[in-house]
Amino acid sequence: MGLIQGHGGVGVVEAVGPEVRRVQVGDRVCVSGTPQCGACYQCLRGRADMCQFLGRQGPKDLVPIADLRDGTPVYANSHIGGLAELMVTFEEWVVPVFTKASAADLGMVCSCVAVAGLGCTASQVLADVGIGSIVAVVGCGPLGLSAIQGARIAGASTIIAIEPIQARREVATRLGATHVLDPNVEGDKLVEKVRELSNGPNNRLWAGGRDSGGLLGGAGADFVVEAVGADRAKPKLESGPDPTGILPLQQAYMMCAPGGHIVTTSLPTGNITLPAVVFTIGGRTHHAGQYGGANPMRDIPRFVELLDKGQFDAKLLATTIVPIEGMLDAYQQVVDRTTVTALMTA
Ligand SMILES: [Zn+2]
């Protein structure tokens, strides 16, 4: 089948069907990575990130939007197909945004990765990062760097960024990380180091302090966001300690404080091993962080507001912006890790 890739995008509405209410011709819109119908069970229970339209993407659900010259039908991946000059999508995927932001900045903040990253720390759906929280972010690609900005905006007092690439650690610091750690330098001591940094100024048990030792595994971050993933090829910049992406998932779990939250966002293949006791003891909550739990119609306009008010920095993340013809080279830069994010413009 012919398939147009591109898991999200921004643009201007050219035409609408007769029953469309959400947007009008001429609106600037974000085509969200996930849909929100507003009427299904998941949308109504407050989990719009799991809208049941999301599952309607199999071959029998897709509608051809064009034909190749030989008559082969062409489909839009996930009903989105963002890598096209003209997108044909459903109302459920489209969020109007009212802003004067540049298309590139808007493309960054409306991307699947930035919405997921901000969703993890600033949407209050999965984990309610509050003022004075200690947040650890494992992996500082575009998703992790967005989570760092969300944690800063949410009022976290300590933001520990963990990333093997020096240039990305520097970006993390500029975006609000209070500590940066290189997992290659910390090695087996990474989890311990995060616990140490999570003690805060008061380690006295009887004065409200955090316990740095004890039966439950000691202190740790209140919220941990994992955004590492597997290497598709060996990076041209610094590689992390585990190309499969499994080790950072384990570490993310273990560096979380008792009673804290872990949000994982990567898609490695394989199995993860954890001490079985943590499934009952320690009170940690794990969230599958698909789309960061973000509620598209509510949160994307809020995130655009953060961009407009200068609180979310899109420019440090969108480090490659190329016309569609440069797409393959842009993908290569992402695989090589020599750019943070690549955006394609029509
Ligand atoms: Zn729904």
Side-chain angles (χ1 to χ4, degrees):
M1 68 197 292
L3 193 69
I4 300 172
Q5 297 293 355
H7 191 51
V10 299
V12 176
V13 175
E14 297 279 343
V16 296
E19 293 181 22
V20 168
R21 292 187 303 173
R22 194 177 283 186
V23 293
Q24 301 171 3
V25 171
D27 281 352
R28 291 185 92 188
V29 294
C30 168
V31 180
S32 173
T34 67
Q36 181 178 10
C37 73
C40 74
Y41 174 71
Q42 296 288 9
C43 282
L44 293 175
R45 76 199 289 244
R47 289 302 301 267
D49 58 311
M50 293 290 114
C51 172
Q52 286 175 257
F53 271 64
L54 189 60
R56 297 287 174 181
Q57 301 189 21
K60 68 179 189 305
D61 300 308
L62 291 176
V63 179
I65 60 165
D67 294 313
L68 295 179
R69 283 197 190 91
D70 66 3
T72 306
V74 176
Y75 299 87
N77 185 358
S78 307
H79 303 297
I80 299 171
L83 295 179
E85 289 86 352
L86 192 64
M87 299 166 69
V88 182
T89 186
F90 290 94
E91 182 177 29
E92 286 76 10
W93 267 260
V94 178
V95 178
V97 286
F98 301 90
T99 172
K100 291 190 168 59
S102 73
D105 285 354
L106 196 56
M108 187 64 242
V109 80
C110 290
S111 71
C112 178
V113 284
V115 173
L118 282 166
C120 287
T121 49
S123 75
Q124 298 160 314
V125 175
L126 301 180
D128 193 2
V129 175
I131 55 163
S133 299
I134 296 175
V135 178
V137 176
V138 191
C140 297
L143 201 159
L145 291 169
S146 299
I148 286 169
Q149 300 195 64
R152 190 199 73 233
I153 293 163
S157 63
T158 302
I159 303 173
I160 304 162
I162 299 151
E163 165 61 46
I165 299 175
Q166 187 190 350
R168 294 187 179 194
R169 291 198 301 274
E170 286 166 15
V171 176
T173 302
R174 289 178 66 182
L175 293 176
T178 56
H179 303 78
V180 289
L181 299 176
D182 180 345
N184 291 322
V185 169
E186 303 303 330
D188 294 346
K189 300 274 191 263
L190 179 68
V191 168
E192 204 177 302
K193 181 76 179 180
V194 171
R195 287 189 183 147
E196 250 172 55
L197 292 171
S198 304
N199 275 343
N202 173 10
N203 193 26
R204 196 183 299 165
L205 272 176
W206 304 107
R210 290 164 186 269
D211 182 2
S212 61
L215 204 59
L216 297 180
D222 299 313
F223 301 94
V224 181
V225 176
E226 179 276 337
V228 179
D231 292 340
R232 298 292 166 192
K234 189 168 166 50
K236 291 211 168 131
L237 298 183
E238 299 94 320
S239 305
D242 178 11
T244 71
I246 297 291
L247 177 65
L249 280 166
Q250 291 168 328
Q251 290 171 325
Y253 206 102
M254 300 314 292
M255 69 178 62
C256 183
H261 294 257
I262 307 113
V263 189
T264 53
T265 69
S266 66
L267 290 167
T269 50
N271 299 307
I272 175 168
T273 304
L274 290 167
V277 68
V278 300
F279 285 89
T280 301
I281 302 297
R284 297 173 184 85
T285 304
H286 171 251
H287 306 272
Q290 181 187 341
Y291 217 42
N295 175 317
M297 282 290 280
R298 183 196 65 178
D299 290 333
I300 289 174
R302 294 205 297 180
F303 297 161
V304 171
E305 190 81 358
L306 295 174
L307 173 75
D308 284 345
K309 298 292 190 296
Q311 293 180 279
F312 181 86
D313 189 322
K315 289 185 170 54
L316 284 177
L317 273 57
T319 43
T320 298
I321 301 170
V322 294
I324 282 184
E325 301 77 58
M327 187 191 301
L328 292 180
D329 178 53
Y331 270 118
Q332 192 61 49
Q333 290 180 43
V334 170
V335 170
D336 292 341
R337 304 270 200 265
T338 51
T339 190
V340 178
T341 320
L343 295 181
M344 273 69 88
T345 57

